Amino acid sequence: MFDAGAFADDQLEKIKARIKDGKAIIACSGGVDSVVCAVLASKAIGDRLLAVFVDTGLMRKGEPEQVRDMLREMNVNFKILNEEDYFLDGLEGITDPEKKRKVIGERFIRCFEKEARAFGAKYLVQGTIAPDVIESGAGGKGLVKSHHNVGGLPEDMDLELVEPVIDLYKEEVRQVARHLGIKVSERQPFPGPGLSVRCLGEVTKESIEIVREACHIVEDEIQKASKDGKMDLPWQYFAALIPVRSTGVRNGERMYGRTVAVRAVLTKDAISATPARIPYEVLESISNRITGTLGDKVTRVVYDVTSKPPATIEWE
Ligand code: XMP
């Protein structure tokens, strides 16, 4: 049985022993993995840790504000960088999923590197977890996706890696979060490259705004349905904007709008997953709300019933 309290105590001592009186920096996305690491490291070395939240403009609705409030509440020394334009510029005209990930990873590192230098950090704390390593091709397995928090660091960055949760699976990280009193503990996972992986084809300010609102609607409707006892919360649930246009009709006029795919999965470890059996009435509310809110842009909502494998959980 995994003991979250013992794990946290052990890691605190390990981080203290490793970093001693040095400085460390962490890129904090607000996801459970990075927040757990930020809180552990902050407890171990105080303000000699700097948590940097890079607002790529690819975050979920309200996320930058939530992350700020949460880090404040947990007494973590942090800084927010507003870099939306820099990321959107880099993504202009790119449609290949791996190239998109690469651009985001590289720009992320550039922003982050500047902060690390300015802060005088010698160590980099990272929230890498076991499935990230497996899926990024370590341990002899092939590359599935280049997860942007693994192996993407330039060699000349010259920071020593500290990865407190690298041996844990998501559920164990959540247990540690609960133990530390982190509010994020029940939040669903969110990929490093953000909404870009849910926006197929070229990423633009407009497409990100559509998928951000659609994701918010899916999250909100499913959470409401779960509170009302209509269904259990799936492990992960979101929307993706797929590059298919289709004919619709609005106020008696023909439209040619975009397509939103709703995805909700059940899994233990994200290595394999099955589609969640969402009650039909919940799917209908999601669809009605998406077309009601985004009706001038979205003409069609579909539900993804594919397992992983062969599909991955995210669409890119
Ligand atoms: P896939 O789509 O590969 O996703 O089945 C498995 C889990 O990982 C998340 N994911 C990522 N997490 N960096 C991350 O930290 C990434 O680049 C990344 N890509 C996917 C995904 O949301 C799912 O929970």
Side-chain angles (χ1 to χ4, degrees), residues 101 135 145 147-149 191-193 235-236 308 312-314:
R101 281 175 176 268
E135 297 223 327
K145 292 177 187 177
H147 278 214
H148 105 8
N149 46 358
W235 191 83
Q236 198 171 7
K308 173 181 181 178
T312 50
I313 295 176
E314 302 287 351

Side-chain angles (χ1 to χ4, degrees), residues 206-214 241 258 294 297-298:
E206 190 198 28
S207 58
I208 286 295
E209 275 164 12
I210 296 173
V211 81
R212 178 181 291 128
E213 187 59 32
L241 187 65
R258 296 167 173 261
L294 298 163
K297 299 184 182 101
V298 176

Side-chain angles (χ1 to χ4, degrees), residues 62-303:
E63 197 152 36
E65 296 77 15
Q66 283 166 18
V67 175
R68 179 198 59 205
D69 294 349
M70 187 173 55
L71 291 175
R72 222 173 248 165
E73 198 174 308
M74 298 303 299
N75 282 322
V76 174
N77 178 30
F78 72 96
K79 184 164 183 181
I80 294 182
L81 309 179
N82 198 330
E83 300 286 358
E84 178 183 14
D85 292 343
Y86 181 53
F87 281 84
L88 285 179
D89 281 355
L91 288 166
E92 201 180 323
I94 302 179
T95 53
D96 178 80
E98 282 298 305
K99 281 195 190 132
K100 281 159 73 176
R101 281 175 176 268
K102 217 167 161 227
V103 166
I104 294 170
E106 279 169 7
R107 293 206 165 208
F108 191 93
I109 284 158
R110 246 175 262 162
C111 296
F112 188 65
E113 211 175 8
K114 242 198 317 195
E115 287 304 318
R117 290 228 170 90
F119 186 62
K122 186 174 170 216
Y123 296 89
L124 174 71
V125 183
Q126 278 208 134
T128 316
I129 64 170
D132 297 341
V133 180
I134 295 164
E135 297 223 327
S136 285
K141 297 204 180 162
L143 175 85
V144 178
K145 292 177 187 177
S146 45
H147 278 214
H148 105 8
N149 46 358
V150 180
L153 291 168
E155 279 169 17
D156 62 5
M157 198 163 158
D158 211 21
L159 287 172
E160 289 181 36
L161 267 187
V162 179
E163 298 182 300
V165 294
I166 195 162
D167 294 326
L168 304 192
Y169 281 85
K170 202 94 201 178
E171 186 43 42
E172 293 166 335
V173 183
R174 282 189 207 280
Q175 287 180 38
V176 178
R178 267 176 235 134
H179 170 79
L180 294 170
I182 299 171
K183 280 214 185 96
V184 79
S185 61
E186 302 310 324
R187 266 167 45 145
Q188 50 167 330
F190 187 63
L195 293 173
S196 150
V197 304
R198 298 179 180 172
C199 188
L200 279 74
E202 189 188 3
V203 172
T204 62
K205 198 172 166 80
E206 190 198 28
S207 58
I208 286 295
E209 275 164 12
I210 296 173
V211 81
R212 178 181 291 128
E213 187 59 32
C215 275
H216 168 67
I217 292 172
V218 171
E219 288 194 18
D220 194 49
E221 289 295 322
I222 288 185
Q223 281 158 8
K224 262 199 300 199
S226 146
K227 265 201 199 114
D228 294 345
K230 292 181 184 156
M231 60 182 286
D232 291 333
L233 268 190
W235 191 83
Q236 198 171 7
Y237 41 102
F238 55 88
L241 187 65
I242 53 181
V244 174
R245 294 219 177 223
S246 73
T247 304
V249 58
R250 187 174 161 83
N251 302 328
E253 292 208 15
R254 182 187 184 277
M255 285 178 61
Y256 197 51
R258 296 167 173 261
T259 308
V260 166
V262 177
R263 180 90 163 131
V265 294
L266 308 178
T267 176
K268 276 206 167 65
D269 52 13
I271 303 278
S272 62
T274 51
R277 297 188 177 201
I278 300 186
Y280 211 87
E281 57 170 302
V282 180
L283 285 174
E284 258 181 330
S285 319
I286 291 173
S287 166
N288 290 341
R289 192 163 151 198
I290 289 176
T291 49
T293 312
L294 298 163
D296 52 338
K297 299 184 182 101
V298 176
T299 37
R300 217 160 283 264
V301 178
V302 297
Y303 187 56

Side-chain angles (χ1 to χ4, degrees), residues 41-55:
S42 163
K43 281 183 186 295
I45 63 166
D47 284 357
R48 282 181 291 110
L49 173 82
L50 176 66
V52 177
F53 175 77
V54 183
D55 184 356

